[in-house]
Structures are given as C-alpha cells and as structure tokens.
Amino acid sequence: MDRILRINMTDRSASFEPMPKQYENRAGRWLTSSIIHDEVPATCHPLGPNNKLVFSPGIVTGTSSPTSSRISVGGKSPLTGGIKEANAGTGWGRRLARLGIRAVIIEGRADGFWLLKITKNGASFETADAWTGKKLSEVYPKLFERSGGHKAVDICSIGIAGEHRMPAAGICFNDQNARPTRYAGRGGLGAVMGSKGLKMIVVDDTGSDDVPVANKEVFNGGRKNMAAALTEHAITKPKGALNSYGTAVLVNIINEAGALPTRNFRSGRFEGAAKIAGEAIFEGNKERTGSELYNHACSPGCIIACSNTWHRPDGSEHTSCVEYESAWALGANCGIDNLDQVAELNLLCNEYGLDTIEIGGALAVAMEGGLAAFGDGKRAIELVHEIGRATPLGKILGAGAVATGKVFGVSRVPHVKGQNMPAYEPRAIKGIGMTYAVSTMGADHTSGYTIAPEMLGVSGKLDPLNPDKAELARNFQYATAFIDTTGHCLFIAFAILDIASGFEGMVEECNGVLGTKWTAEDVARIGKEILDLELDFNHRAGFTKLDDRLPEFMLYEPLPPHNVVWDIADSEIDQVFGQ
Amino acid sequence: MRVEIRLYATFAQYAPSQRAGDPFSAQLHDGATLADLVGKLRIPEESIHLVIINGRIVHDRCQSLVDDDRVGLFPPVGGG
Ligand code: SF4
C-alpha cells in the first residue's frame, strides 16, 4: 500500500499517512516538488524549522525496469533560496519503494544529531553524535556492519559539510558496492538535513514485498523496449562510450568544441584536457592495474553502468566515481591537469559530503581571488581539507562560489541564482545557457540537457552558437522533469531520444506500474505541471525574471577560442517559460 | 597542406601514439576534403559520429580543409 512516512525531528515522532488523493501517481521529482510547493512556506529560511526535506523513489524504482534506481530529494535550497530537487543512483530508494513508502518527509529540528532507521515495522531513532566529525569512509563500513550488512540495508548520510550546514553540502548514498560515493549533490540539501539534526537514514527492507505492478503485460512490454534501446544505442550499450570511458569521455569533445570552461570560465579550451579525460582514466587504470577496467553500475539494475574507479600507481582503488562534472570542476576549472590530484579532490568531496561542482567552482573563484595559483593542485587539496576541518576559511569555501567571490572580492563568478555553473560554457553553447538562466534549480545542466543535440549529435544536430533555442530549452526541461519522476537515470535519454520505441517503453513502464493510459503528450503535460509548481514556489520565494540572467561578465568578456559573448536578448530568455 | 589531427575515444587506436588527444599532423593535397582525410586515416567512415574543425562541429564530409586546420574525430560519445 502506498503511504507517506512523516518524521518530526523536534520530538522524534514518526507517522504513516495514506497517500493523499491529489498526489495519486506522483513519485520522484513530481512528488518532492509537489510536497515542497504545498507544505513549505516559500519565504522560510532554508535552514530553519519550517523547511522540509523530502525523499521519494521514482514511479518504476524497485521494479525490474532497467536503470531506474534513482532517489529524488527535495527541499528549499540554502544555496539558491529556491526549490530544489537533486537525485542519486543507489539501492536506498529501491528499499523505500519495496516498503511501499512513496515519500519520507522530514520536518522540525532536533538538538544534536540522530540516526533514523526505517524498517517494515516503522521508524526508530538513536543518537548519532558518535558518528559525527568523521570521514564518510570511516562511517559507512562500521554502520553497515552494525546494521546487518549491505545485503540488508542501504545508508543515506551527510558528511562534515552537512553537519556544519554548509550550502555546498550534498546528501550521500552508498553505491552498489557499499561505497559512500553517490550524491544528491547540488543545492545544499545536505545542509538542510544537517539543520534538522538528522545525520543518517538506514533503510532495511527485510520482509518487504515486490513493488506492485497494476498491468504486468504492459509493464513487461515497456521494460523490454527500454532495455532494447539501452543495449542498442552506441552511447549506452555494453562497452559503449559510457561503459568504457564513463561520463568523463565528454572532456575531450567539449574541449575540442571550445566550450570546456577553463580557469574559472576564462577560456573554452584547456590545454591539459586530454590528461583528465575519460580516455586517460581508462588508459591509466590499464597501466596501473594491468587490465582493461570497464565501468560498473552505481545502483541495482543499471545496464548502462557508467560509474568508474581511479586507481593509484600500486593498483589500489583511489576513488569512485570521477564523473565528467567532477573531472572538469576539480580539474580544468581549476587549471589542474594531474589526474591523481583531481582524484584526491574528488575523494575528499566524497569524504566530507560535498558537491564536487560547487566546490570546484568555489576553488576556482578562490584562485581568482588569490588564494592559490590556477593549477596548484597541492594547495587545492589543502583548501578542501580546510572544509573538512570546518575552519572559517573552509566554511567560506563550503558556502559555495558566490559566497567565496564576495569574501575575496571577485567579480567573475559563473553562477545563476547562486549556484555555480556546471561544465558547459553558455557563451559557446546557447541552448544550455538558456537552460541555466531559467532553470528552477539555478545553473543546472541536468534540468534540460540540450547538450545532446547541440554538441553530441543525439536527437538532432543543432548549431551550438545558433541563438534560437527557447523552444528547445523548454521542451528538454519538461521531458527531463518527467524522467526525474520515473526514477530512471537521466542517461537513458541518450538512447530514448534517438530510439522511439525506447521512449514509448518508458511511458508503458509507468502505465504498467500505475495502471494509467499515458501517452507521449502526457510526458510533456506532466513535465509542464512539475515546472509550473517549481516556478510558482520560486515566484513566491521572491524570484523574478531578473533572476533568470547569466552573470554580467559573460556579456562583456569574449570567450576564447570562439571569442563569443553571451548575446541572447533578455526577451528571448523570457520566452522559454513565456512569462 | 598540413592539418593537425586529434583522435578520441576508441579512435585512439588509429593515432600514431595510440593515445586519445595526442596531436599529429597529416600532409594533404591542396583542396583536399574531410572525406579525403578520413580515407587517409583508415577509420571506418560509418563509425565516425562527430567531426570538429577549429572548434566548429562539421557535418558535411565534402568540406574542404585548409592549411593548419585543427581536426578532431569522435565516435558516438555521451555523458553528463
Ligand atoms: S547510467 Fe551511470 S549514473 Fe546512471 S544509474 Fe547507471 S551507473 Fe548510475
């Protein structure tokens, strides 16, 4: 039976509620954004008692549908001041789904830190003060051991950054091999969890039932079409681009195209790009381990399996996963071309519970402000340790790029709505720039990945410098909001945008689980509904269209090698959502 | 004329150093096209998904090359 688990941290009470009628069929981002929209006062302080944190697995999460183990986390963001949904791949959400829990709502605020345990029988609390102040690689193995092992449970936790309520703090989930490495990273939701006094949530689904499927035939047909598309498409198939080289395979192509933000968005080309790219990771691992390592699935049931590892000279595992965004943020954006240093920075972000993109952005802005030279990986590592020690300097960096820029008097701060831009230069790729500008999440590539047609030749071949992208930015955001609702990883998009039966398969899977009769039109309708909820929340939080703008320096600083500025008219940006 | 080439992902095997992104150059006759270059590199034509010349994505294989062009060749790639 579908139900909602409501946790009040103030008195540490827990209650199950039936799923309200108006939320019927909602899950994932649709449900987190609905609850935040309906229950959280938009003007509340993100770290105050009136904000809420909501976890929701997607519609098909927990079924046999491939690549669908995503968990959505929602709240009001301390980084942007707007609504936030961040999601991660992990078995954690599958267990919630199997327990029939469509959402966990965390409200109130406790003294000290607490561990919440969710089982078939309900929820219980114990003090977690002893788990605080530690690296997550010290916490997870011990907690797994105490909780019956990874076969029985999955763990979600904040790190030191979240305990100190830093706006760059993410929420960590373990991967399929029990590593504490998968993040609902963006927007500071780890700080929200910390502000509630919630350190960790252990989910044990022992004795649970399979996720109910209303129409098995429809579901199975959809699932097969989805799996066929994923195993056929060159990007998502076994030993395809993602499985061989991971997401960091993009470093070289975006660099060739002159759109890889380098040294705090001063250039679109990094001379050291090839040294930190997915190919270099693959070759380096081969040299160091003596075998060709193909990537692994971060979460149960993923058949794309894009998650990599990086190995030390002696062959031992250094860190997982060096994503494209992380290799870029901690590499090219800081002028660092040494993979071992990039990997160490990546590891430290995982240890302290940080969003790699925001921290890479803060480090680059700090370099701009004179705290280190661009390219000084050793100093960058020391600076991230400052965050781990929660020193005043560490807390400034942990507050993100905008705060760092203010403290150190830097005007080149590449952000929208307070969130640092990810790894695509908007001056050189206009559609992603429009997406950054209007996204309800602040600068965010995953809210509408127009890179697929603008750069990668997926679902069309568009000129990245062509400014006519309002419709593209709108449609991609609607489709993405729906994918974030299904529980599928966004990377299914590469396959299903090119292979129509895969797209239909996604809709059929949902129809199979829910017993609905959705069509492709419903994908756009539901996507719009989600965006409208989020836009309304942000509007009530005080955002206007003047917040839908790229930072001023991009209007007057030409970006090499194309020497282009951001030249899209404000009126054109405002057309994306027609306000 | 001489053009500068970079091969990426699985195409690295066709580069002299066998390393992705290591630049090397090729001599071509004046007026040579992208298709001429692809033929010279012995990369199966159908496996080429994207070509980037001087930072611009080029879809037309008949495009002529000029001296000092920077050419990058890619199989299908994706990420996030
Ligand atoms: S495609 Fe990659 S990120 Fe997505 S679920 Fe699979 S392994 Fe995780």
Side-chain angles (χ1 to χ4, degrees):
Chain A
M1 190 200 69
D2 277 357
R3 51 199 181 147
I4 285 178
L5 174 60
R6 193 178 291 273
I7 302 290
N8 186 330
M9 289 304 297
T10 309
D11 59 6
R12 270 146 348 263
S13 60
S15 58
F16 282 104
E17 300 167 5
M19 199 53 185
K21 184 81 185 127
Q22 80 263 27
Y23 293 159
E24 196 182 19
N25 299 333
R26 297 188 191 190
R29 177 172 167 189
W30 194 6
L31 187 53
T32 63
S33 287
S34 297
I35 294 171
I36 298 301
H37 174 271
D38 294 349
E39 295 195 10
V40 173
T43 52
C44 75
H45 194 291
L47 304 179
N50 292 320
N51 195 8
K52 299 188 185 189
L53 190 66
V54 183
F55 297 83
S56 177
I59 292 170
V60 301
T61 305
T63 69
S64 57
S65 157
T67 311
S68 67
S69 291
R70 304 293 294 193
I71 178 79
S72 285
V73 191
K76 177 173 172 170
S77 162
L79 194 70
T80 68
I83 199 164
K84 177 59 65 178
E85 185 265 358
N87 64 69
T90 170
W92 193 90
R94 281 177 82 87
R95 296 198 200 263
L96 273 192
R98 290 181 58 88
L99 290 168
I101 299 174
R102 295 269 36 125
V104 180
I105 305 175
I106 312 288
E107 49 192 44
R109 191 161 66 173
D111 292 328
F113 281 103
W114 295 85
L115 181 157
L116 168 65
K117 182 153 189 184
I118 301 172
T119 67
K120 193 179 174 209
N121 301 323
S124 58
F125 293 89
E126 57 183 88
T127 172
D129 288 327
W131 295 107
T132 60
K134 295 183 163 62
K135 291 182 174 178
L136 287 176
S137 68
E138 293 167 24
V139 169
Y140 272 68
K142 286 194 193 123
L143 188 54
F144 270 122
E145 202 184 307
R146 254 203 35 194
S147 310
H150 181 221
K151 277 218 167 71
V153 303
D154 284 291
I155 301 170
C156 148
S157 180
I158 53 169
I160 292 169
E163 292 163 18
H164 288 270
R165 302 175 303 283
M166 297 185 205
I171 296 179
C172 181
F173 298 86
N174 61 270
D175 75 359
Q176 226 190 166
N177 293 309
R179 297 181 189 94
T181 53
R182 306 305 306 191
Y183 273 80
R186 304 229 67 195
L189 292 174
V192 178
M193 191 159 154
S195 75
K196 305 267 166 232
L198 184 57
K199 169 70 182 167
M200 56 226 331
I201 308 175
V202 178
V203 181
D204 183 337
D205 65 344
T206 306
S208 64
D209 302 318
D210 287 346
V211 171
V213 172
N215 186 330
K216 288 213 167 69
E217 205 179 315
V218 170
F219 172 77
N220 281 330
R223 179 178 62 86
K224 279 187 192 139
N225 282 334
M226 172 63 75
L230 295 179
T231 39
E232 179 190 325
H233 197 278
I235 294 177
T236 53
K237 70 184 182 187
K239 296 204 176 178
L242 279 169
N243 183 232
S244 305
Y245 301 114
T247 56
V249 72
L250 285 189
V251 171
N252 283 319
I253 188 165
I254 305 301
N255 187 58
E256 265 314 308
L260 187 73
T262 299
R263 297 187 179 84
N264 196 31
F265 290 71
R266 288 162 174 246
S267 167
R269 278 251 175 89
F270 181 44
E271 66 288 352
K275 293 191 199 163
I276 57 167
E279 294 96 319
I281 295 172
F282 185 82
E283 289 301 327
N285 282 337
K286 194 162 128 187
E287 272 165 34
R288 291 176 173 190
T289 67
S291 55
E292 291 192 340
L293 298 185
Y294 289 88
N295 295 327
H296 59 270
C298 73
S299 49
C302 176
I303 59 177
I304 301 176
C306 79
S307 186
N308 66 15
T309 49
W310 172 247
H311 294 258
R312 297 190 183 87
D314 67 3
S316 63
E317 186 175 310
H318 189 168
T319 188
S320 174
C321 159
V322 187
E323 301 279 12
Y324 168 60
E325 287 295 334
S326 309
W328 160 77
L330 305 165
N333 198 37
C334 294
I336 298 171
D337 66 1
N338 178 316
L339 249 180
D340 288 311
Q341 290 177 336
V342 170
E344 182 65 15
L345 290 164
N346 191 78
L347 173 72
L348 292 177
C349 286
N350 286 347
E351 292 286 45
Y352 299 140
L354 291 161
D355 172 21
T356 53
I357 300 179
E358 197 61 40
I359 290 308
L363 287 173
V365 169
M367 288 173 169
E368 188 87 55
L371 252 71
F374 280 109
D376 188 346
K378 251 182 85 188
R379 181 73 187 129
I381 289 168
E382 284 167 15
L383 288 173
V384 178
H385 279 304
E386 296 267 350
I387 307 177
R389 289 198 300 275
T391 63
L393 174 57
K395 284 188 170 185
I396 292 167
L397 297 167
V402 170
T404 303
K406 272 190 190 155
V407 172
F408 295 101
V410 176
S411 63
R412 189 187 289 108
V413 182
H415 77 100
V416 178
K417 300 183 180 76
Q419 181 165 285
N420 203 85
M421 284 181 187
Y424 307 93
E425 229 312 332
R427 281 168 285 185
I429 317 174
K430 305 299 185 191
I432 202 69
M434 291 179 98
T435 307
Y436 291 169
V438 303
S439 168
T440 49
M441 304 289 149
D444 177 8
H445 61 299
T446 66
S447 60
Y449 195 66
T450 62
I451 299 304
E454 291 190 281
M455 283 275 130
L456 307 177
V458 171
S459 88
K461 292 179 172 168
L462 302 178
D463 177 1
L465 293 169
N466 181 330
D468 187 16
K469 300 279 170 58
E471 197 184 341
L472 178 79
R474 174 170 57 244
N475 290 341
F476 265 67
Q477 286 180 81
Y478 288 164
T480 305
F482 184 85
I483 294 175
D484 290 343
T485 292
T486 63
H488 278 297
C489 175
L490 187 54
F491 295 157
I492 64 158
F494 294 116
I496 69 166
L497 288 174
D498 274 343
I499 302 171
S501 57
F503 187 91
E504 287 152 21
M506 171 180 72
V507 180
E508 290 303 286
E509 287 175 331
C510 293
N511 286 335
V513 170
L514 299 170
T516 46
K517 295 212 163 9
W518 290 344
T519 63
E521 273 98 80
D522 292 295
V523 171
R525 173 187 62 80
I526 291 166
K528 180 174 187 312
E529 207 171 300
I530 297 165
L531 262 300
D532 285 347
L533 286 167
E534 294 173 353
L535 287 165
D536 183 60
F537 182 93
N538 282 356
H539 175 69
R540 286 186 288 118
F543 286 94
T544 71
K545 62 185 179 183
L546 297 180
D547 295 292
D548 295 346
R549 301 291 179 257
L550 297 197
E552 187 197 12
F553 79 89
M554 291 190 167
L555 278 62
Y556 59 74
E557 266 188 29
L559 177 85
H562 294 297
N563 295 317
V564 281
V565 294
W566 177 252
D567 52 1
I568 307 282
D570 293 347
S571 57
E572 186 72 13
I573 297 173
D574 295 340
Q575 272 184 23
V576 176
F577 290 132
Q579 294 147 336
Chain B
M1 76 177 137
R2 193 200 66 98
V3 296
E4 192 177 80
I5 304 150
R6 287 171 178 77
L7 303 180
Y8 293 106
T10 45
F11 291 170
Q13 59 181 305
Y14 301 103
S17 71
Q18 307 226 328
R19 288 213 166 249
D22 267 2
F24 61 97
S25 55
Q27 287 290 338
L28 295 168
H29 61 83
D30 281 351
T33 64
L34 183 53
D36 295 330
L37 173 65
V38 168
K40 199 174 161 110
L41 293 172
R42 322 239 292 244
I43 302 175
E45 161 77 31
E46 67 285 357
S47 62
I48 297 176
H49 184 64
L50 274 177
V51 181
I52 300 183
I53 302 180
N54 304 326
R56 299 298 301 258
I57 299 169
V58 171
H59 300 298
D60 179 7
R61 296 287 152 85
C62 299
Q63 165 141 341
S64 324
L65 299 169
V66 296
D67 208 25
D68 281 341
D69 270 348
R70 172 176 172 151
V71 184
L73 298 176
F74 297 83
V77 293

